[in-house]
Amino acid sequence: MITSFYPSFLAALSFVSNPVISPDQFVQPDIVAKYHEDYMFLECIKFINEVKTGPFAEHSNQLWSISGVQSWTKVNGGLIKMYKAEVLAKFPVIQHFVFGSLLSFDAR
């Protein structure tokens, strides 16, 4: 779950500052073919299309739902909320994080 967020999160960040494509375009095969070498997210979508069969909406439902969002800014905000709820808020997951100077933890 942790690593599956990274490509989508990084994509949202990169497309917020450089909106080459809109969220509804990343599921289009011609867009993926044109930009997959330039964007890690589209390379991930290309890989999914190569290994999965059937309609994209069925085998990658969460990614498909991103394509319905109006802007990458909203996608980014939603992914941050989801990451906090599904990863950081879960003790069995967060207990394995290594805390350091950037992400400190004061034991009491």
Side-chain angles (χ1 to χ4, degrees), residues 32-66:
V32 174
K34 183 175 181 180
Y35 294 110
H36 74 92
E37 292 180 356
D38 299 326
Y39 296 97
M40 178 180 62
F41 177 68
L42 295 180
E43 185 66 33
C44 294
I45 299 299
K46 179 179 178 274
F47 177 77
I48 290 169
N49 287 333
E50 290 171 352
V51 298
K52 301 280 186 172
T53 58
F56 192 86
E58 290 180 13
H59 60 68
S60 300
N61 191 274
Q62 285 189 318
L63 285 172
W64 178 258
S65 67
I66 290 174

Side-chain angles (χ1 to χ4, degrees), residues 12-38:
L13 284 175
S14 65
F15 290 136
V16 163
S17 61
N18 184 21
V20 175
I21 65 169
S22 61
D24 65 333
Q25 292 178 307
F26 79 84
V27 294
Q28 299 172 5
D30 57 326
I31 296 293
V32 174
K34 183 175 181 180
Y35 294 110
H36 74 92
E37 292 180 356
D38 299 326

